[in-house]
Amino acid sequence: MLLSLSLGLVAGLGEELLFRHVLQQAIPLPAPLPLLLASLLFAAGHAITPTYALLSFLASLFFGSVYASSGLAVAATAHGAYDAVAVCATHWVVTRKSEGEKERIRSMEWLKD
């Protein structure tokens, strides 16, 4: 569980550094275009399913807005906290599944549904 928590926190920080502090800040277009472009790239990188891509896009809009209004530290903290909770919750759910269900997850059969 500690590893899951750590991964979530580090992922949130890394993604905010890349998508907000580098991309959103560096795109030389008038607002809100940098936020929209960074969010589209973020969603593309999270496009496991169409629904998850959409949710990632919406979350990115939120984190990008937080970054624009409050800075990197607040956006990275919010994103890291979200990712830590999501990764820990996923870990908790998956570790309680049967071996057959775990194998289905590992084989990524659920993507075919």
Side-chain angles (χ1 to χ4, degrees), residues 26-101:
I27 297 172
L29 295 171
L33 292 178
L35 170 61
L36 292 172
L37 289 174
S39 295
L40 283 172
L41 290 171
F42 184 86
H46 291 78
I48 297 169
T49 66
T51 301
Y52 195 68
L54 174 62
L55 293 174
S56 296
F57 176 74
L58 296 174
S60 185
L61 289 176
F62 171 74
F63 295 130
S65 297
V66 169
Y67 173 79
S69 66
S70 303
L72 179 62
V74 177
T77 300
H79 191 155
Y82 168 81
D83 281 356
V85 169
V87 171
C88 287
T90 300
H91 172 82
W92 186 81
V93 168
V94 170
T95 57
R96 281 150 183 76
K97 297 219 175 265
S98 70
E99 285 305 314
E101 291 171 317

